[in-house]
Amino acid sequence: MAQEAHASSEGAALPERRVAYSVLVRFGPVIGLAFLCLVLSVTSEAFLNPANLINVARQVSINAIIAAGMTFVMISGGFDLSVGSVMALSGVVGIMAMNAFGDAAGILIMLAVALSCGLWNGLLVAFARINAFVATLAGMTIYHGIALVVTDSFPVTRFGGWYRNFGQGHLFGLPIPIYVLIIVYVVAHIVLTRTAFGTSVYAVGGNEEAARLSGINVERIRTSVFTICGFGVGIASLLIIGRLQSAQANMGIQAELDAIAAVVIGGTSLAGGEGRVFGTLAGAFTIGVLNNGLNLHDISAHWQLVAKGVVIALAVIIDRQLVHRQ
């Protein structure tokens, strides 16, 4: 009788545990970010200063926009190592085109270059059946090499012009990149959660063969997610060169690592089929807030890399444990 009562109580507690784990899986990145902000607000008076918070958001916007595109790729079961080189190539070509043809044409060419690089990556993965790691690693080397060739290893600049408003302009007291960030994430969320395309992205990442048998064009989905990622890099490139008014072949070094870190910290599964774009946003802000907090405490940039690595490892461990228990 006692055993039956014990079993009954365990059975009643099981759904509650599942709900708790589900909440942690879904909102874990946001909870972690909130806890980090709470700690920094207590340990540093400058952290909650509005100017500091705006600066953090502006700095995060570049990585977060790249990470939004990376989220599509990783949910589908792949990842893109070439985004940093795509940023450099699209940036230098874009500024050279601005100098030759004007701002509007240069912006269009910049976005077209980034989109084309993403499309090429997708074609290699989807139709040539090349592993995403190998395809994008090759792309990273090729795009970086082309950027070095066209610039002869020298930075290219363009001073003035209305394009700089994308990186330096303000609207209602907030930097333009923050508004671009909001638009990108709202659109990405709608596409992933409210469209047949988004459902297909999850299906391909969850089980490619089952998705194919259900009538989904897997090759088209894989090509599309890499193209989306490339286009996001183009937007980020426009924002950063608008701020710096220059570009160089080494401009995007480690951008791919920061983007992948944001996606992983945000709860997207490395195996594909699971993830949320606003989780990625929380992951990007976690990295940005952590870097800002370490700067406020005058901690070496070398230790910042160590701290970032520890956070990534903890995020993966916690995510795997929560998913396993759920």
mmCIF file with all atom_site columns, all heavy atoms in Angstrom, residues 25 36 42 59 73 90 109 125 148 154-155 202-203 205 208 211 244 278 280 288 301 306:
data_model
loop_
_atom_site.group_PDB
_atom_site.id
_atom_site.type_symbol
_atom_site.label_atom_id
_atom_site.label_alt_id
_atom_site.label_comp_id
_atom_site.label_asym_id
_atom_site.label_entity_id
_atom_site.label_seq_id
_atom_site.pdbx_PDB_ins_code
_atom_site.Cartn_x
_atom_site.Cartn_y
_atom_site.Cartn_z
_atom_site.occupancy
_atom_site.B_iso_or_equiv
_atom_site.pdbx_formal_charge
_atom_site.auth_seq_id
_atom_site.auth_comp_id
_atom_site.auth_asym_id
_atom_site.auth_atom_id
_atom_site.pdbx_PDB_model_num
ATOM 1   N N   . VAL A 1 25  ? 14.690 24.676 -20.514 1.00 0.00 ? 25  VAL A N   1
ATOM 2   C CA  . VAL A 1 25  ? 15.208 24.530 -21.871 1.00 0.00 ? 25  VAL A CA  1
ATOM 3   C C   . VAL A 1 25  ? 14.820 25.729 -22.719 1.00 0.00 ? 25  VAL A C   1
ATOM 4   O O   . VAL A 1 25  ? 15.623 26.252 -23.495 1.00 0.00 ? 25  VAL A O   1
ATOM 5   C CB  . VAL A 1 25  ? 14.690 23.217 -22.507 1.00 0.00 ? 25  VAL A CB  1
ATOM 6   C CG1 . VAL A 1 25  ? 14.992 23.186 -23.995 1.00 0.00 ? 25  VAL A CG1 1
ATOM 7   C CG2 . VAL A 1 25  ? 15.328 22.012 -21.821 1.00 0.00 ? 25  VAL A CG2 1
ATOM 8   N N   . LEU A 1 36  ? 23.343 37.238 -15.088 1.00 0.00 ? 36  LEU A N   1
ATOM 9   C CA  . LEU A 1 36  ? 24.610 37.929 -15.352 1.00 0.00 ? 36  LEU A CA  1
ATOM 10  C C   . LEU A 1 36  ? 24.433 39.431 -15.199 1.00 0.00 ? 36  LEU A C   1
ATOM 11  O O   . LEU A 1 36  ? 25.291 40.106 -14.599 1.00 0.00 ? 36  LEU A O   1
ATOM 12  C CB  . LEU A 1 36  ? 25.101 37.586 -16.766 1.00 0.00 ? 36  LEU A CB  1
ATOM 13  C CG  . LEU A 1 36  ? 26.403 38.248 -17.220 1.00 0.00 ? 36  LEU A CG  1
ATOM 14  C CD1 . LEU A 1 36  ? 27.558 37.855 -16.307 1.00 0.00 ? 36  LEU A CD1 1
ATOM 15  C CD2 . LEU A 1 36  ? 26.714 37.849 -18.664 1.00 0.00 ? 36  LEU A CD2 1
ATOM 16  N N   . VAL A 1 42  ? 25.220 44.765 -9.512  1.00 0.00 ? 42  VAL A N   1
ATOM 17  C CA  . VAL A 1 42  ? 25.608 44.844 -8.107  1.00 0.00 ? 42  VAL A CA  1
ATOM 18  C C   . VAL A 1 42  ? 27.091 45.165 -7.959  1.00 0.00 ? 42  VAL A C   1
ATOM 19  O O   . VAL A 1 42  ? 27.495 45.925 -7.074  1.00 0.00 ? 42  VAL A O   1
ATOM 20  C CB  . VAL A 1 42  ? 25.273 43.523 -7.376  1.00 0.00 ? 42  VAL A CB  1
ATOM 21  C CG1 . VAL A 1 42  ? 25.854 43.518 -5.969  1.00 0.00 ? 42  VAL A CG1 1
ATOM 22  C CG2 . VAL A 1 42  ? 23.771 43.312 -7.330  1.00 0.00 ? 42  VAL A CG2 1
ATOM 23  N N   . GLN A 1 59  ? 27.227 47.388 -29.878 1.00 0.00 ? 59  GLN A N   1
ATOM 24  C CA  . GLN A 1 59  ? 28.321 46.465 -30.139 1.00 0.00 ? 59  GLN A CA  1
ATOM 25  C C   . GLN A 1 59  ? 27.807 45.058 -30.409 1.00 0.00 ? 59  GLN A C   1
ATOM 26  O O   . GLN A 1 59  ? 28.344 44.352 -31.270 1.00 0.00 ? 59  GLN A O   1
ATOM 27  C CB  . GLN A 1 59  ? 29.292 46.460 -28.954 1.00 0.00 ? 59  GLN A CB  1
ATOM 28  C CG  . GLN A 1 59  ? 30.070 47.761 -28.791 1.00 0.00 ? 59  GLN A CG  1
ATOM 29  C CD  . GLN A 1 59  ? 30.975 47.745 -27.568 1.00 0.00 ? 59  GLN A CD  1
ATOM 30  O OE1 . GLN A 1 59  ? 30.836 46.888 -26.694 1.00 0.00 ? 59  GLN A OE1 1
ATOM 31  N NE2 . GLN A 1 59  ? 31.906 48.685 -27.505 1.00 0.00 ? 59  GLN A NE2 1
ATOM 32  N N   . VAL A 1 73  ? 20.984 28.098 -40.219 1.00 0.00 ? 73  VAL A N   1
ATOM 33  C CA  . VAL A 1 73  ? 21.893 27.051 -40.684 1.00 0.00 ? 73  VAL A CA  1
ATOM 34  C C   . VAL A 1 73  ? 22.016 25.936 -39.652 1.00 0.00 ? 73  VAL A C   1
ATOM 35  O O   . VAL A 1 73  ? 21.942 24.747 -39.985 1.00 0.00 ? 73  VAL A O   1
ATOM 36  C CB  . VAL A 1 73  ? 23.282 27.641 -41.008 1.00 0.00 ? 73  VAL A CB  1
ATOM 37  C CG1 . VAL A 1 73  ? 24.266 26.535 -41.374 1.00 0.00 ? 73  VAL A CG1 1
ATOM 38  C CG2 . VAL A 1 73  ? 23.190 28.640 -42.148 1.00 0.00 ? 73  VAL A CG2 1
ATOM 39  N N   . SER A 1 90  ? 32.737 41.109 -48.699 1.00 0.00 ? 90  SER A N   1
ATOM 40  C CA  . SER A 1 90  ? 31.628 41.988 -49.075 1.00 0.00 ? 90  SER A CA  1
ATOM 41  C C   . SER A 1 90  ? 31.915 43.423 -48.665 1.00 0.00 ? 90  SER A C   1
ATOM 42  O O   . SER A 1 90  ? 31.556 44.370 -49.379 1.00 0.00 ? 90  SER A O   1
ATOM 43  C CB  . SER A 1 90  ? 30.316 41.507 -48.432 1.00 0.00 ? 90  SER A CB  1
ATOM 44  O OG  . SER A 1 90  ? 30.400 41.527 -47.021 1.00 0.00 ? 90  SER A OG  1
ATOM 45  N N   . ILE A 1 109 ? 25.778 46.089 -54.270 1.00 0.00 ? 109 ILE A N   1
ATOM 46  C CA  . ILE A 1 109 ? 26.843 45.152 -54.631 1.00 0.00 ? 109 ILE A CA  1
ATOM 47  C C   . ILE A 1 109 ? 27.364 44.436 -53.396 1.00 0.00 ? 109 ILE A C   1
ATOM 48  O O   . ILE A 1 109 ? 27.638 43.224 -53.414 1.00 0.00 ? 109 ILE A O   1
ATOM 49  C CB  . ILE A 1 109 ? 27.979 45.897 -55.363 1.00 0.00 ? 109 ILE A CB  1
ATOM 50  C CG1 . ILE A 1 109 ? 27.484 46.348 -56.740 1.00 0.00 ? 109 ILE A CG1 1
ATOM 51  C CG2 . ILE A 1 109 ? 29.220 45.021 -55.500 1.00 0.00 ? 109 ILE A CG2 1
ATOM 52  C CD1 . ILE A 1 109 ? 28.452 47.229 -57.488 1.00 0.00 ? 109 ILE A CD1 1
ATOM 53  N N   . VAL A 1 125 ? 26.973 22.356 -50.229 1.00 0.00 ? 125 VAL A N   1
ATOM 54  C CA  . VAL A 1 125 ? 26.481 21.443 -49.205 1.00 0.00 ? 125 VAL A CA  1
ATOM 55  C C   . VAL A 1 125 ? 25.294 20.631 -49.720 1.00 0.00 ? 125 VAL A C   1
ATOM 56  O O   . VAL A 1 125 ? 25.226 19.412 -49.516 1.00 0.00 ? 125 VAL A O   1
ATOM 57  C CB  . VAL A 1 125 ? 26.079 22.229 -47.938 1.00 0.00 ? 125 VAL A CB  1
ATOM 58  C CG1 . VAL A 1 125 ? 25.403 21.318 -46.915 1.00 0.00 ? 125 VAL A CG1 1
ATOM 59  C CG2 . VAL A 1 125 ? 27.301 22.902 -47.315 1.00 0.00 ? 125 VAL A CG2 1
ATOM 60  N N   . LEU A 1 148 ? 42.065 39.612 -49.922 1.00 0.00 ? 148 LEU A N   1
ATOM 61  C CA  . LEU A 1 148 ? 43.470 40.029 -49.904 1.00 0.00 ? 148 LEU A CA  1
ATOM 62  C C   . LEU A 1 148 ? 43.946 40.428 -51.294 1.00 0.00 ? 148 LEU A C   1
ATOM 63  O O   . LEU A 1 148 ? 44.691 41.410 -51.460 1.00 0.00 ? 148 LEU A O   1
ATOM 64  C CB  . LEU A 1 148 ? 44.349 38.899 -49.353 1.00 0.00 ? 148 LEU A CB  1
ATOM 65  C CG  . LEU A 1 148 ? 44.235 38.609 -47.854 1.00 0.00 ? 148 LEU A CG  1
ATOM 66  C CD1 . LEU A 1 148 ? 44.957 37.309 -47.499 1.00 0.00 ? 148 LEU A CD1 1
ATOM 67  C CD2 . LEU A 1 148 ? 44.795 39.770 -47.037 1.00 0.00 ? 148 LEU A CD2 1
ATOM 68  N N   . PHE A 1 154 ? 45.836 46.049 -48.311 1.00 0.00 ? 154 PHE A N   1
ATOM 69  C CA  . PHE A 1 154 ? 45.694 47.392 -47.757 1.00 0.00 ? 154 PHE A CA  1
ATOM 70  C C   . PHE A 1 154 ? 44.223 47.668 -47.454 1.00 0.00 ? 154 PHE A C   1
ATOM 71  O O   . PHE A 1 154 ? 43.334 47.188 -48.167 1.00 0.00 ? 154 PHE A O   1
ATOM 72  C CB  . PHE A 1 154 ? 46.207 48.452 -48.737 1.00 0.00 ? 154 PHE A CB  1
ATOM 73  C CG  . PHE A 1 154 ? 47.704 48.480 -48.883 1.00 0.00 ? 154 PHE A CG  1
ATOM 74  C CD1 . PHE A 1 154 ? 48.330 47.830 -49.941 1.00 0.00 ? 154 PHE A CD1 1
ATOM 75  C CD2 . PHE A 1 154 ? 48.480 49.148 -47.947 1.00 0.00 ? 154 PHE A CD2 1
ATOM 76  C CE1 . PHE A 1 154 ? 49.702 47.842 -50.064 1.00 0.00 ? 154 PHE A CE1 1
ATOM 77  C CE2 . PHE A 1 154 ? 49.859 49.171 -48.063 1.00 0.00 ? 154 PHE A CE2 1
ATOM 78  C CZ  . PHE A 1 154 ? 50.475 48.516 -49.127 1.00 0.00 ? 154 PHE A CZ  1
ATOM 79  N N   . PRO A 1 155 ? 43.927 48.436 -46.411 1.00 0.00 ? 155 PRO A N   1
ATOM 80  C CA  . PRO A 1 155 ? 42.527 48.803 -46.131 1.00 0.00 ? 155 PRO A CA  1
ATOM 81  C C   . PRO A 1 155 ? 41.987 49.738 -47.203 1.00 0.00 ? 155 PRO A C   1
ATOM 82  O O   . PRO A 1 155 ? 42.749 50.498 -47.823 1.00 0.00 ? 155 PRO A O   1
ATOM 83  C CB  . PRO A 1 155 ? 42.606 49.496 -44.774 1.00 0.00 ? 155 PRO A CB  1
ATOM 84  C CG  . PRO A 1 155 ? 44.009 49.970 -44.656 1.00 0.00 ? 155 PRO A CG  1
ATOM 85  C CD  . PRO A 1 155 ? 44.856 48.979 -45.397 1.00 0.00 ? 155 PRO A CD  1
ATOM 86  N N   . TYR A 1 202 ? 13.215 23.155 -39.510 1.00 0.00 ? 202 TYR A N   1
ATOM 87  C CA  . TYR A 1 202 ? 13.261 22.298 -38.325 1.00 0.00 ? 202 TYR A CA  1
ATOM 88  C C   . TYR A 1 202 ? 13.200 20.827 -38.717 1.00 0.00 ? 202 TYR A C   1
ATOM 89  O O   . TYR A 1 202 ? 13.895 19.986 -38.121 1.00 0.00 ? 202 TYR A O   1
ATOM 90  C CB  . TYR A 1 202 ? 12.103 22.627 -37.386 1.00 0.00 ? 202 TYR A CB  1
ATOM 91  C CG  . TYR A 1 202 ? 12.312 23.865 -36.549 1.00 0.00 ? 202 TYR A CG  1
ATOM 92  C CD1 . TYR A 1 202 ? 11.724 25.077 -36.894 1.00 0.00 ? 202 TYR A CD1 1
ATOM 93  C CD2 . TYR A 1 202 ? 13.090 23.824 -35.398 1.00 0.00 ? 202 TYR A CD2 1
ATOM 94  C CE1 . TYR A 1 202 ? 11.902 26.220 -36.126 1.00 0.00 ? 202 TYR A CE1 1
ATOM 95  C CE2 . TYR A 1 202 ? 13.280 24.958 -34.612 1.00 0.00 ? 202 TYR A CE2 1
ATOM 96  C CZ  . TYR A 1 202 ? 12.684 26.155 -34.989 1.00 0.00 ? 202 TYR A CZ  1
ATOM 97  O OH  . TYR A 1 202 ? 12.876 27.287 -34.218 1.00 0.00 ? 202 TYR A OH  1
ATOM 98  N N   . ALA A 1 203 ? 12.367 20.505 -39.689 1.00 0.00 ? 203 ALA A N   1
ATOM 99  C CA  . ALA A 1 203 ? 12.205 19.107 -40.102 1.00 0.00 ? 203 ALA A CA  1
ATOM 100 C C   . ALA A 1 203 ? 13.502 18.555 -40.698 1.00 0.00 ? 203 ALA A C   1
ATOM 101 O O   . ALA A 1 203 ? 13.903 17.428 -40.390 1.00 0.00 ? 203 ALA A O   1
ATOM 102 C CB  . ALA A 1 203 ? 11.069 19.000 -41.122 1.00 0.00 ? 203 ALA A CB  1
ATOM 103 N N   . GLY A 1 205 ? 16.551 19.592 -40.106 1.00 0.00 ? 205 GLY A N   1
ATOM 104 C CA  . GLY A 1 205 ? 17.531 19.438 -39.040 1.00 0.00 ? 205 GLY A CA  1
ATOM 105 C C   . GLY A 1 205 ? 17.221 18.287 -38.110 1.00 0.00 ? 205 GLY A C   1
ATOM 106 O O   . GLY A 1 205 ? 18.131 17.638 -37.580 1.00 0.00 ? 205 GLY A O   1
ATOM 107 N N   . GLU A 1 208 ? 16.629 14.370 -41.659 1.00 0.00 ? 208 GLU A N   1
ATOM 108 C CA  . GLU A 1 208 ? 16.656 14.719 -43.084 1.00 0.00 ? 208 GLU A CA  1
ATOM 109 C C   . GLU A 1 208 ? 15.896 13.707 -43.934 1.00 0.00 ? 208 GLU A C   1
ATOM 110 O O   . GLU A 1 208 ? 15.149 14.086 -44.846 1.00 0.00 ? 208 GLU A O   1
ATOM 111 C CB  . GLU A 1 208 ? 18.104 14.806 -43.563 1.00 0.00 ? 208 GLU A CB  1
ATOM 112 C CG  . GLU A 1 208 ? 18.228 15.139 -45.041 1.00 0.00 ? 208 GLU A CG  1
ATOM 113 C CD  . GLU A 1 208 ? 19.665 15.273 -45.485 1.00 0.00 ? 208 GLU A CD  1
ATOM 114 O OE1 . GLU A 1 208 ? 20.510 15.681 -44.656 1.00 0.00 ? 208 GLU A OE1 1
ATOM 115 O OE2 . GLU A 1 208 ? 19.945 14.978 -46.671 1.00 0.00 ? 208 GLU A OE2 1
ATOM 116 N N   . ALA A 1 211 ? 12.194 14.071 -43.507 1.00 0.00 ? 211 ALA A N   1
ATOM 117 C CA  . ALA A 1 211 ? 11.751 15.297 -44.176 1.00 0.00 ? 211 ALA A CA  1
ATOM 118 C C   . ALA A 1 211 ? 11.646 15.071 -45.679 1.00 0.00 ? 211 ALA A C   1
ATOM 119 O O   . ALA A 1 211 ? 10.688 15.521 -46.321 1.00 0.00 ? 211 ALA A O   1
ATOM 120 C CB  . ALA A 1 211 ? 12.731 16.431 -43.883 1.00 0.00 ? 211 ALA A CB  1
ATOM 121 N N   . LEU A 1 244 ? 32.853 52.419 -39.287 1.00 0.00 ? 244 LEU A N   1
ATOM 122 C CA  . LEU A 1 244 ? 34.298 52.606 -39.397 1.00 0.00 ? 244 LEU A CA  1
ATOM 123 C C   . LEU A 1 244 ? 34.709 53.408 -40.629 1.00 0.00 ? 244 LEU A C   1
ATOM 124 O O   . LEU A 1 244 ? 35.811 53.956 -40.679 1.00 0.00 ? 244 LEU A O   1
ATOM 125 C CB  . LEU A 1 244 ? 35.003 51.237 -39.433 1.00 0.00 ? 244 LEU A CB  1
ATOM 126 C CG  . LEU A 1 244 ? 34.775 50.317 -38.229 1.00 0.00 ? 244 LEU A CG  1
ATOM 127 C CD1 . LEU A 1 244 ? 35.473 48.989 -38.456 1.00 0.00 ? 244 LEU A CD1 1
ATOM 128 C CD2 . LEU A 1 244 ? 35.255 50.968 -36.941 1.00 0.00 ? 244 LEU A CD2 1
ATOM 129 N N   . PHE A 1 278 ? 15.211 33.960 -30.720 1.00 0.00 ? 278 PHE A N   1
ATOM 130 C CA  . PHE A 1 278 ? 15.355 34.872 -29.595 1.00 0.00 ? 278 PHE A CA  1
ATOM 131 C C   . PHE A 1 278 ? 16.272 34.289 -28.518 1.00 0.00 ? 278 PHE A C   1
ATOM 132 O O   . PHE A 1 278 ? 16.833 35.033 -27.713 1.00 0.00 ? 278 PHE A O   1
ATOM 133 C CB  . PHE A 1 278 ? 13.992 35.246 -29.021 1.00 0.00 ? 278 PHE A CB  1
ATOM 134 C CG  . PHE A 1 278 ? 13.260 36.257 -29.859 1.00 0.00 ? 278 PHE A CG  1
ATOM 135 C CD1 . PHE A 1 278 ? 12.054 35.945 -30.466 1.00 0.00 ? 278 PHE A CD1 1
ATOM 136 C CD2 . PHE A 1 278 ? 13.795 37.521 -30.059 1.00 0.00 ? 278 PHE A CD2 1
ATOM 137 C CE1 . PHE A 1 278 ? 11.388 36.885 -31.251 1.00 0.00 ? 278 PHE A CE1 1
ATOM 138 C CE2 . PHE A 1 278 ? 13.146 38.461 -30.835 1.00 0.00 ? 278 PHE A CE2 1
ATOM 139 C CZ  . PHE A 1 278 ? 11.944 38.142 -31.437 1.00 0.00 ? 278 PHE A CZ  1
ATOM 140 N N   . THR A 1 280 ? 19.015 32.828 -29.452 1.00 0.00 ? 280 THR A N   1
ATOM 141 C CA  . THR A 1 280 ? 20.274 33.296 -30.028 1.00 0.00 ? 280 THR A CA  1
ATOM 142 C C   . THR A 1 280 ? 20.536 34.743 -29.651 1.00 0.00 ? 280 THR A C   1
ATOM 143 O O   . THR A 1 280 ? 21.673 35.124 -29.331 1.00 0.00 ? 280 THR A O   1
ATOM 144 C CB  . THR A 1 280 ? 20.241 33.161 -31.553 1.00 0.00 ? 280 THR A CB  1
ATOM 145 O OG1 . THR A 1 280 ? 20.147 31.769 -31.910 1.00 0.00 ? 280 THR A OG1 1
ATOM 146 C CG2 . THR A 1 280 ? 21.485 33.756 -32.197 1.00 0.00 ? 280 THR A CG2 1
ATOM 147 N N   . GLY A 1 288 ? 28.114 39.760 -25.161 1.00 0.00 ? 288 GLY A N   1
ATOM 148 C CA  . GLY A 1 288 ? 28.382 41.193 -25.123 1.00 0.00 ? 288 GLY A CA  1
ATOM 149 C C   . GLY A 1 288 ? 28.404 41.745 -23.707 1.00 0.00 ? 288 GLY A C   1
ATOM 150 O O   . GLY A 1 288 ? 29.282 42.549 -23.351 1.00 0.00 ? 288 GLY A O   1
ATOM 151 N N   . ALA A 1 301 ? 41.915 41.359 -21.734 1.00 0.00 ? 301 ALA A N   1
ATOM 152 C CA  . ALA A 1 301 ? 41.196 40.782 -22.884 1.00 0.00 ? 301 ALA A CA  1
ATOM 153 C C   . ALA A 1 301 ? 41.523 39.306 -23.052 1.00 0.00 ? 301 ALA A C   1
ATOM 154 O O   . ALA A 1 301 ? 40.702 38.542 -23.577 1.00 0.00 ? 301 ALA A O   1
ATOM 155 C CB  . ALA A 1 301 ? 41.544 41.551 -24.154 1.00 0.00 ? 301 ALA A CB  1
ATOM 156 N N   . VAL A 1 306 ? 39.076 33.430 -22.226 1.00 0.00 ? 306 VAL A N   1
ATOM 157 C CA  . VAL A 1 306 ? 38.918 32.265 -21.360 1.00 0.00 ? 306 VAL A CA  1
ATOM 158 C C   . VAL A 1 306 ? 37.497 32.214 -20.799 1.00 0.00 ? 306 VAL A C   1
ATOM 159 O O   . VAL A 1 306 ? 36.849 31.156 -20.800 1.00 0.00 ? 306 VAL A O   1
ATOM 160 C CB  . VAL A 1 306 ? 39.945 32.318 -20.203 1.00 0.00 ? 306 VAL A CB  1
ATOM 161 C CG1 . VAL A 1 306 ? 39.692 31.172 -19.216 1.00 0.00 ? 306 VAL A CG1 1
ATOM 162 C CG2 . VAL A 1 306 ? 41.368 32.244 -20.747 1.00 0.00 ? 306 VAL A CG2 1
#
